[in-house]
Amino acid sequence: MGDILAHESELLGLVKEYLDFAEFEDTLKTFSKECKMKGKALPKTARRSLRDSKSSIIQKDLIAAFDDGAQKVFFDLWEEHIPSSIRDGDSFAQKLEFYLHIHFAIYLLKRSVRRPDKEELDERISYFKTYLESKGAALSQTTEFLPFYALPFVPNPMVHPSFKELFQDSWSPELKLKLEKFLALIFKASNTPKLLTLYKENGQSHKEMLQQLHQQLLEAERRSMTYLKRYNKIQADYHNLIGVTAELVDSLEATVSGKMITPEYLQSVCIRLFSNQMRQSLAHSVDFTRPGTASTMLRASLAPMKLKDVPLLPSLDYEKLKRDLILGSDRLKAFLLQALRWRLTTSLPGEQRETVLQAYISNDLLDCHGHSQRSVLQLLHGRSDVVRQYMARLINAIASLAEGRLYLAQSTKVLRMLEERLKEEDKDVITRENVLGALQKFSLRRPLQTAMIQDGLIFWLIDILKEPDCLSDYTLEYSVALLMNLCLRSAGKNMCASVAGLVLKVLSDLLGHENHEIQPYVNGALYSILSIPSVREEARAMGMEDILRCFMKEGNAEMVRQIEFIIKQLNSEEFPDGGVESDDDEDEDDEEDHDTMEADLDKDELIQPQLGELSGEKLLTTEYLGIMTNTGKTRRKGMAGVQWGGDEPLRRPVTPSGHRHGYPA
């Protein structure tokens, strides 16, 4: 109570000031009367009418100085009564001040009937020049004001075309009107009662604090996702270790029966165990015939791991999800597509991820089997750029998994929609990247390879690869890899043969590209199409062997050996033999035995939740919780991998992500 009494007079004054400002005249009289009756002293404050009167006088003085061309009087009043925070921080005020300086600089030229006094004119121009070199320099990079920086140096501005509008009769009245409106606004704001100011400042402070906390929450969620991906990597390594251990146990049993383990077998096991960065050096620099080599390397690189139970993610109401994906707002659609993608990309490899994917498939999340005109797949052609991009990302994520590709490939509907989006998308780089990534993964399946070749996708790929420097690394890598996969088929080779000169020119240019990740796919495509006699003739005519030998001087040992195979193919006289690289049996799929979820799927997110807005797993489990929609299914075994030795060009379809991880091709 003591604190209230100590500040009572000040509080009463704030109330009185606000009532006066808001023109509650009767309320103010009653308030003042009651304060007097209770013996409460009200502080004396300037009446609003007095403040208004003072403000009005200042405005009139400024306008009078404007009309009279009184430059010094005007800017003295301007600097005294216009707060510096507004003069220096408000863009409109800065622009207005610039034009006011122009007004006073050319005032004599516009108002004098006879020739203006040269000394006074020079003084005004000098004042304007000083302003341009000091405070006015801040606007020198603005196109609107750039011509006026030449004004002090032009002998006769009245006839110069750049300053024509300044000397029109309407220019000064329009500037005066802007000045009057600005002054009215500023002086009204300066009379704002303290009670209102305190309320605004306090509210803004709370708002900033909430925004800061919200930003911290987002950062924490991002860090959490990073740690989860690291954990997923460790978990995947653990499963790999278990598989290798089982193989080694089988091998030990075989040795009991007298079967020897070869150094090549031991090398292949160690390469599977070590990190990606060590695989290449191990394959070529470590002597596995020396006793103890493998065990020493293993002890140095492998850390003990513990198997943990992996919980399944909650089931979802997929009917409600699909309904909102079709009928919801574009923002809701984007958040749902993002959350469904995150559920797949951040889930743990193995049972958890397989369960998520099987739930999507069994509930036909993308309406791949539906025939309705309004389906989830149609979001790929929606009006919203964000929704189109996030739909492409989700399809790419699902296509990263073998079972997902099988789901998407059951009809050519998805393929045709992706091809249309690829050819139409010219604005959003990430949308095109994800569409291309999905198509490249589709090319692991022979029926889809056939469809893409028939649709002329090879011609589109060759066209964009003419200018590789205009493409992102992801687009370049997946384009070349897709071209290679299609060139492995007889139909693809024949299509390339129809434009052999162009294809060979594009591929030879790509051999020297700074992105070395594309080299295996360029080599694979070249090796494949050179099995066609007419392409070999074209290549010899353009001096392809000399071009290849130039690159042999710069390449590493692995690349040199691959180019040697290509040169051998170039100089051969054989006809296509229908071997593994041109096998057109539609019943066989070149599926990899591993699933790879690349990090690019979640890069550069376009949307962030606002305060109180749900996203990610929290959105799914809060609004779309279902009952028993997760269905288990025995995983389909992949075909036995044909191991790529690295010395030869690729002759089986691969994806860049799978190839980087050293998976069978």
Side-chain angles (χ1 to χ4, degrees):
M1 188 68 181
D3 289 342
I4 296 175
L5 291 173
H7 299 285
E8 185 177 59
S9 177
E10 186 179 355
L11 290 170
L12 293 172
L14 292 175
V15 174
K16 179 184 175 186
E17 182 189 31
Y18 180 76
L19 292 173
D20 183 24
F21 171 80
E23 299 183 9
F24 289 106
E25 295 178 359
D26 293 339
T27 306
L28 179 59
K29 289 177 183 177
T30 305
F31 176 72
S32 301
K33 183 179 178 182
E34 190 167 354
C35 286
K36 188 175 181 181
M37 287 172 58
K38 293 185 175 182
K40 309 288 185 181
L42 282 172
K44 292 182 179 180
T45 57
R47 296 287 297 175
R48 180 169 57 83
S49 57
L50 293 175
R51 290 199 304 271
D52 288 351
S53 176
K54 184 179 178 182
S55 298
S56 179
I57 291 170
I58 296 168
Q59 291 180 64
K60 286 179 180 177
D61 288 346
L62 281 163
I63 296 300
F66 177 90
D67 289 335
D68 297 339
Q71 184 172 257
K72 188 175 185 311
V73 174
F74 181 91
F75 285 111
D76 285 346
L77 289 170
W78 179 266
E79 293 184 8
E80 181 182 354
H81 297 290
I82 307 300
S84 60
S85 59
I86 294 175
R87 284 186 279 116
D88 299 332
D90 183 84
S91 60
F92 181 82
Q94 289 177 319
K95 292 179 180 180
L96 179 63
E97 185 173 353
F98 193 100
Y99 282 121
L100 288 168
H101 274 280
I102 293 175
H103 165 76
F104 288 109
I106 63 173
Y107 182 83
L108 292 179
L109 295 174
K110 295 186 70 173
R111 298 299 176 94
S112 300
V113 179
R114 297 186 301 275
R115 187 180 182 86
D117 182 75
K118 187 177 186 305
E119 185 177 343
E120 187 180 352
L121 180 61
D122 289 345
E123 184 181 342
R124 287 176 178 269
I125 295 296
S126 176
Y127 190 89
F128 179 53
K129 186 179 179 184
T130 303
Y131 166 75
L132 292 178
E133 293 170 351
S134 54
K135 191 176 177 182
L139 296 172
S140 62
Q141 302 303 315
T142 308
T143 308
E144 180 183 351
F145 298 101
L146 198 56
F148 301 122
Y149 284 81
L151 182 61
F153 307 99
V154 175
N156 189 0
M158 296 181 70
V159 297
H160 197 282
S162 297
F163 311 122
K164 183 180 178 181
E165 67 167 312
L166 301 179
F167 295 94
Q168 292 179 355
D169 293 339
S170 60
W171 189 81
S172 292
E174 287 175 1
L175 180 61
K176 181 179 178 180
L177 185 60
K178 289 179 182 177
L179 176 63
E180 288 172 340
K181 288 181 178 179
F182 175 76
L183 294 175
L185 188 64
I186 290 299
F187 285 109
K188 182 179 180 181
S190 66
N191 292 331
T192 302
K194 191 175 181 181
L195 184 63
L196 185 58
T197 303
L198 288 171
Y199 173 76
K200 287 181 177 179
E201 289 176 353
N202 192 42
Q204 183 65 25
S205 175
H206 278 297
K207 185 177 180 182
E208 289 174 358
M209 187 183 298
L210 285 172
Q211 287 176 341
Q212 187 177 1
L213 290 171
H214 183 58
Q215 191 61 37
Q216 290 174 359
L217 177 62
L218 290 175
E219 290 297 327
E221 287 178 350
R222 288 193 193 100
R223 286 197 300 272
S224 173
M225 186 175 294
T226 302
Y227 295 144
L228 186 58
K229 286 181 178 178
R230 289 178 187 171
Y231 177 76
N232 290 348
K233 175 66 170 61
I234 294 171
Q235 194 78 5
D237 289 342
Y238 175 81
H239 289 303
N240 185 36
L241 183 58
I242 291 293
V244 172
T245 304
E247 276 191 36
L248 290 174
V249 170
D250 291 341
S251 301
L252 285 172
E253 289 178 354
T255 58
V256 174
S257 304
K259 294 180 181 177
M260 296 297 292
I261 296 176
T262 65
E264 289 78 16
Y265 172 76
L266 193 57
Q267 182 183 23
S268 69
V269 170
C270 289
I271 287 174
R272 286 170 60 191
L273 285 171
F274 291 124
S275 64
N276 294 335
Q277 290 81 0
M278 295 177 66
R279 283 177 180 152
Q280 187 172 340
S281 61
L282 281 173
H284 302 296
S285 62
V286 180
D287 182 9
F288 285 90
T289 61
R290 196 173 65 217
T293 301
S295 59
T296 303
M297 296 297 293
L298 285 171
R299 288 191 187 100
S301 64
L302 293 177
M305 301 181 187
K306 293 182 180 178
L307 180 61
K308 293 185 179 179
D309 292 331
V310 180
L312 297 182
L313 296 173
S315 296
L316 302 177
D317 183 348
Y318 285 93
E319 288 302 317
K320 183 181 178 185
L321 261 171
K322 291 200 284 186
R323 186 166 59 250
D324 284 356
L325 280 170
I326 295 170
L327 302 175
S329 66
D330 284 340
R331 188 166 178 81
L332 175 60
K333 290 175 185 176
F335 274 121
L336 287 175
L337 291 169
Q338 182 190 61
L340 290 164
R341 167 168 46 90
W342 282 354
R343 179 171 259 235
L344 199 57
T345 57
T346 61
S347 58
L348 303 178
E351 186 180 5
Q352 190 183 74
R353 180 169 289 167
E354 288 171 17
T355 305
V356 171
L357 181 61
Q358 287 304 326
Y360 289 1
I361 293 171
S362 60
N363 290 283
D364 193 15
L365 176 64
L366 302 185
D367 288 332
C368 291
H369 306 308
H371 301 287
S372 173
Q373 289 187 345
R374 302 188 71 177
S375 67
V376 176
L377 270 178
Q378 294 299 326
L379 296 179
L380 200 58
H381 295 308
R383 292 173 300 175
S384 166
D385 293 343
V386 180
V387 171
R388 287 201 309 273
Q389 183 189 121
Y390 277 30
M391 185 63 187
R393 287 185 191 233
L394 178 58
I395 292 174
N396 193 14
I398 293 173
S400 299
L401 307 174
E403 289 292 334
R405 290 191 287 276
L406 182 61
Y407 163 62
L408 295 169
Q410 300 217 347
S411 76
T412 57
K413 178 166 65 172
V414 182
L415 173 67
R416 299 286 187 251
M417 292 185 74
L418 288 170
E419 288 178 336
E420 288 174 22
R421 183 78 267 142
L422 182 68
K423 293 169 184 177
E424 291 173 8
E425 192 61 61
D426 55 358
K427 292 190 298 181
D428 195 318
V429 173
I430 294 180
T431 300
R432 189 167 75 167
E433 283 182 357
N434 280 275
V435 169
L436 185 61
L439 286 170
Q440 203 283 326
K441 291 159 191 171
F442 278 17
S443 69
L444 295 173
R445 304 193 62 81
R446 287 185 177 274
L448 295 181
Q449 289 174 0
T450 302
M452 283 188 259
I453 293 168
Q454 290 173 349
D455 292 343
L457 197 57
I458 286 178
F459 296 134
W460 185 88
L461 291 167
I462 293 168
D463 189 53
I464 67 160
L465 289 172
K466 289 178 191 174
E467 300 182 55
D469 293 334
C470 299
L471 306 176
S472 67
D473 286 342
Y474 187 99
T475 300
L476 177 60
E477 197 171 338
Y478 276 77
S479 296
V480 181
L482 175 56
L483 178 62
M484 186 203 77
N485 285 359
L486 299 182
C487 286
L488 296 176
R489 302 294 301 281
S490 295
K493 294 176 196 175
N494 292 330
M495 188 166 285
C496 288
S498 68
V499 285
L502 178 58
V503 176
L504 291 168
K505 172 70 168 60
V506 167
L507 291 175
S508 61
D509 288 345
L510 290 172
L511 277 171
H513 198 273
E514 61 183 11
N515 184 343
H516 299 298
E517 297 289 344
I518 68 173
Q519 298 309 320
Y521 318 123
V522 176
N523 292 344
L526 265 176
Y527 185 85
S528 181
I529 64 174
L530 286 172
S531 65
I532 304 292
S534 62
V535 178
R536 289 200 296 267
E537 288 179 18
E538 185 82 31
R540 291 167 189 159
M542 64 183 287
M544 178 61 75
E545 184 172 349
D546 293 336
I547 295 171
L548 291 169
R549 293 199 181 279
C550 287
F551 290 117
M552 286 177 71
K553 298 174 185 176
E554 303 171 6
N556 56 34
E558 180 182 303
M559 202 56 54
V560 168
R561 284 190 289 272
Q562 288 187 26
I563 292 177
E564 285 172 350
F565 272 95
I566 297 171
I567 292 174
K568 185 178 178 182
Q569 178 83 302
L570 173 65
N571 293 323
S572 73
E573 298 298 333
E574 297 177 2
F575 286 85
D577 59 1
V580 67
E581 73 274 11
S582 61
D583 183 4
D584 284 340
D585 182 2
E586 291 291 347
D587 295 330
E588 181 188 351
D589 277 324
D590 287 318
E591 282 284 14
E592 293 174 347
D593 198 26
H594 291 259
D595 295 328
T596 308
M597 199 71 74
E598 63 254 42
D600 295 272
L601 291 166
D602 294 330
K603 73 174 183 180
D604 301 333
E605 296 287 356
L606 288 178
I607 56 171
Q608 297 292 345
Q610 301 296 323
L611 194 62
E613 202 170 20
L614 296 175
S615 68
E617 191 65 20
K618 188 175 287 186
L619 170 62
L620 296 178
T621 54
T622 303
E623 300 293 337
Y624 300 93
L625 205 58
I627 302 173
M628 296 300 290
T629 53
N630 288 339
T631 57
K633 183 178 178 182
T634 304
R635 185 171 179 176
R636 180 174 62 94
K637 289 285 184 183
M639 63 173 287
V642 179
Q643 193 72 29
W644 177 63
D647 291 347
E648 302 178 29
L650 290 164
R651 289 189 283 169
R652 281 280 188 180
V654 295
T655 63
S657 53
H659 179 61
R660 277 195 294 269
H661 284 77
Y663 294 156

